[in-house]
Amino acid sequence: MNIIEKINKLKREKNAIILTHCYQNIEIDEVSDFVGDSLYLSREAAKTNADIIIFAGVYFMAQSAKLLSPEKKVLLPNMKSGCLMSDMIDVENLRKFKSQYPGIPVVCYINSTAEVKAESDICCTSSNAVSIVKSLNEQKVLFVPDTYLGKWVEKNLKNVEVITYNGYCPTHLKIRPEDINNARKKYPNALVLAHPECHVETAKLADFVGSTKEIMEYAKKSDSKTFLIATEKGVTDRLNRDSKNENWGKEFYGVNDNTICPNMKQNSLEDIYNVLLNEINEITISENIRNKAKECIDKMLLSGSKK
Ligand code: 13P
Ligand code: SF4
C-alpha cells in the first residue's frame, strides 16, 4: 500500500477526517475531505461527526477547530507549523493595545491564538472582515493582529475608523506593487487576484481582492483566460491543477517567486500518517480560554453576514 492508501484506510478505521488549507503542499489534497480557506474549514470542523480531525494547516487553525469541536481529538501533523502573523501578538500585547483605546471593541482576525481570541469581542476571517466590522455599527474598532487586513476593511467602509495593531504576514508583504506592475507588463490581458493580507498599495492594484477560496471561485467563474495570483503559491498550484483536470483552458501565474509560506509547507503526508497512527500532536485548550474564545468565533459564525 502507498502512503495515500494507508492514510485513507486509517481514516476509515478511526472515523477521522482531514481538513486542508489551500496553502498546504498540494499532494495533501489526495487524502483530504475538505480543502479551502479558514472560514470554510472552521465551518466544516463545527459540522463534522468525525472522532478525529487532522488539520493540515497552521497551529491557530487547528486550535480553532478544537474550539468548535471540543469533544473531538484535533491533531496537527507538524507542531512546527505556526503562523508568523498570529505569533506577533500575545495576551499581554493585546491588553496593552486595548488599554490605549478604552471602550472600543476588538475585532480579531482568525489568524490569532485562542488566548488572543478569548480577549477579543468578535472574530473575522479574510472573507468576512468587511461585513463583520460593518455589522458592529461602531464608529471606531480595534483590529488585531493584521494591520493590512484592517486597513483594507477601513478602505471599504465609509465612516468607520479601524485602529490596527502592527502585525503582518511576511509572505504576503513580499508581494510589492512593482511586482504587480511588472507582471502586468508580461501578461497584459491577465486579471490580478489578491489576498487582503497584501500591503494596501498592492491590493489597490488588483482587479479582485478576496480570501483564498474567494480567489479560487472568482478565477473559476471568470471569462478571462490568464490570471496573476497575488497570494500564497498553493492557490496558484491548485488553480493550474484544476484548470488542467477540468479543461478550463486557463493559466495562472504567481506575481513573484517568493510567495511561499514556509510554515504552511511543514506538513507532509508522512506527518499525517504518523499523527493519525499514533494520535499524537493533540491540541488542548483550557476550559476557561476555550469558552471565551469560542464565544468570539461563535459571534462571527452567527453574524448576519453569513458569508
Ligand atoms: P484565508 O482566510 O484566506 O484562508 O487566509 C488564511 C491565511 O493564513 C492567509 O495567509
Ligand atoms: Fe500566517 Fe502568512 Fe503563513 Fe498565512 S501565509 S499562515 S498569515 S504566515
Side-chain angles (χ1 to χ4, degrees), residues 57-248:
V58 284
Y59 187 81
F60 80 82
M61 294 181 178
Q63 260 194 336
S64 302
K66 181 68 184 176
L67 291 173
L68 292 165
S69 304
E71 71 297 346
K72 297 184 175 68
K73 215 176 231 189
V74 177
L75 310 175
L76 185 66
N78 188 321
M79 280 302 198
K80 287 195 214 122
S81 185
C83 165
L84 296 169
M85 179 202 289
S86 86
D87 291 344
M88 288 179 188
I89 188 165
D90 60 15
V91 172
E92 209 183 307
N93 302 141
L94 175 55
R95 286 188 183 148
K96 230 184 263 173
F97 183 56
K98 279 163 63 167
S99 71
Q100 290 165 19
Y101 305 97
I104 302 183
V106 181
V107 180
C108 166
Y109 187 25
I110 197 155
N111 291 36
S112 55
T113 59
E115 290 74 11
V116 164
K117 288 185 179 80
E119 289 272 330
S120 301
D121 295 291
I122 187 164
C123 192
C124 74
T125 73
S126 54
S127 54
N128 64 14
V130 174
S131 51
I132 290 288
V133 172
K134 193 172 175 204
S135 75
L136 295 179
N137 265 327
E138 296 278 348
Q139 285 177 342
K140 290 184 185 187
V141 300
L142 301 183
F143 195 95
V144 301
D146 188 5
T147 192
Y148 295 103
L149 180 59
K151 286 178 203 287
W152 180 252
V153 169
E154 186 175 68
K155 189 179 169 302
N156 280 277
L157 288 177
K158 285 187 196 107
N159 308 325
V160 186
E161 186 184 347
V162 181
I163 303 165
T164 63
Y165 186 79
N166 60 2
Y168 59 90
C169 167
T171 301
H172 284 87
L173 275 206
K174 284 186 191 142
I175 307 174
R176 298 155 309 165
E178 54 268 38
D179 292 325
I180 306 278
N181 291 333
N182 291 338
R184 274 203 197 273
K185 276 184 206 145
K186 202 164 165 197
Y187 301 101
N189 296 324
L191 284 185
V192 177
L193 316 184
H195 195 281
E197 282 176 18
C198 291
H199 195 291
V200 179
E201 294 307 314
T202 301
K204 269 200 237 165
L205 298 175
D207 297 292
F208 175 77
V209 178
S211 74
T212 46
K213 194 159 182 287
E214 287 171 332
I215 287 176
M216 293 175 89
E217 283 166 0
Y218 184 98
K220 191 174 177 183
K221 279 193 207 135
S222 168
D223 292 333
S224 294
K225 293 289 177 207
T226 314
F227 300 84
L228 293 163
I229 305 299
T231 187
E232 214 276 345
K233 187 175 173 293
V235 174
T236 316
D237 292 345
R238 282 169 175 79
L239 284 167
N240 278 320
R241 176 201 58 194
D242 294 349
S243 175
K244 194 167 164 231
N245 291 347
E246 297 169 19
N247 296 318
W248 300 350

